[in-house]
Amino acid sequence: MCYWIVDRLEGELVVLETPQGGFVSVSKASFQDVSVQEGDACLKNADGSFSVLTDETEKRRKKLAALQKKIFEKR
């Protein structure tokens, strides 16, 4: 499955990293979940709106936390 990742929020815009690695800006109104945050994994719906995938986002955050722990424990 190809996810879009929220890179950052800029006012009423959400900057997304596309599945191909590029970046696009879309309106916050394009999201069904109004509490969109940086790092959220999203899926683009057929109507052009976006849905935040909470389970995938949590899985990615846990994986990143484990990687950071592994890197910084070695110091």
Side-chain angles (χ1 to χ4, degrees), residues 1 15 19 21 24 27 48 65 75:
M1 187 174 283
V15 179
V24 296
S27 169
R75 292 185 169 199

Side-chain angles (χ1 to χ4, degrees), residues 31-51:
F31 283 81
Q32 294 177 348
D33 184 351
V34 293
S35 64
V36 62
Q37 299 178 43
E38 292 177 355
D40 283 349
C42 306
L43 190 62
K44 188 172 185 179
N45 302 312
D47 65 358
S49 67
F50 290 89
S51 299

Side-chain angles (χ1 to χ4, degrees), residues 47-66:
D47 65 358
S49 67
F50 290 89
S51 299
V52 174
L53 304 171
T54 348
D55 292 340
E56 184 62 28
T57 298
E58 187 61 31
K59 188 185 331 177
R60 291 171 52 85
R61 287 192 172 132
K62 285 180 181 178
K63 186 176 178 181
L64 179 59

